Amino acid sequence: MTAIDPLYDKKCTCPLCNTSFTTKKIRLRFIKMTNLDTDFFPTYADHNPLLYYINVCPDCGFSFHEKTSSSLSLNEKMLLIEKVCSRWIPRSFGSIRTVKDALITYKLAAYCALLRKERHIIIAGMYIRIAWLYRSQKKRKQEKRFMKLALKEYEASYMTGDFKGTKVTELQTMYLIGELFRRMGQINEATKYFSRVIEKQSKTTETNIIQLAKDGWHKIREVQQI
């Protein structure tokens, strides 16, 4: 009996240049999460799907995720061609990826998303994943840098409400802002957002988020009492 490979080739079409290419993804049956950190950073047993989240066109360099709109405006195309394609050296990220490879793909995708002026919540999701990958490498300085960028985008998303229509809820957004502030050492801001989350406890079914906010608030109190 032939063993099933955890990785498979997924066919993609570049929304920018229409090139067809394949990229690796991990079969769901092989994804086994062993831990979830307080900012939702997942740790996996063997195969890490975070490495394969971004698709990169080998021909033009346009980088995108599954939720990226396949329809690009003329202005978006012109800007991407100028800022990305003109500087791109053709190469493929369609094989097995290292953390270093994945970091490159996320940074490319974040740059493309910024050029396209995608939702803040989408850009925040890319930045926080970059921070997670740096954490997995124990590169604290780079982790903190991208955590700060993620925080800025999550705040903008909360203020504009552009998380609506995505899988990220308002409560999750508020909690993440509070948790990132806590990790950045900005205690007053962290407490403010944790309190906003806890105030919603009688009006929500997201009890796990309420508990996480309470845990974060207690961690702050413990540190303050030392």
Side-chain angles (χ1 to χ4, degrees), residues 5-6 9-10 13 16 28 44 47 91 95 103 117-118 139 145 155 178 192-193 201 205 207 209 214-215 226:
D5 194 324
D9 288 324
K10 180 172 182 177
T13 300
L16 180 56
L28 288 176
Y44 297 95
H47 307 285
R91 53 178 164 158
S95 300
L103 283 167
K117 298 182 180 179
E118 281 207 59
K139 294 183 177 180
R145 175 191 169 198
E155 279 195 287
K192 180 174 70 175
Y193 276 95
Q201 61 184 329
T205 57
T207 54
I209 304 298
K214 289 180 178 180
D215 292 343
I226 294 176

Side-chain angles (χ1 to χ4, degrees), residues 86-112:
S86 65
R87 305 172 186 177
W88 177 250
I89 299 173
R91 53 178 164 158
S92 174
F93 286 92
S95 300
I96 296 174
R97 292 179 185 173
T98 62
V99 172
K100 183 178 178 180
D101 293 331
L103 283 167
I104 294 171
T105 67
Y106 277 110
K107 290 175 184 179
L108 284 168
Y111 183 53
C112 289

Side-chain angles (χ1 to χ4, degrees), residues 22 24 26 33-34 43 57 79 86 89 99-100 118 124 136 139 161-162 164-165 167 173 178 183 192:
T22 61
K24 296 292 185 185
I26 299 177
M33 189 170 65
T34 57
T43 303
C57 176
L79 190 58
S86 65
I89 299 173
V99 172
K100 183 178 178 180
E118 281 207 59
S136 73
K139 294 183 177 180
D162 79 358
K164 295 174 183 176
K167 290 183 178 180
T173 304
R183 287 173 175 266
K192 180 174 70 175

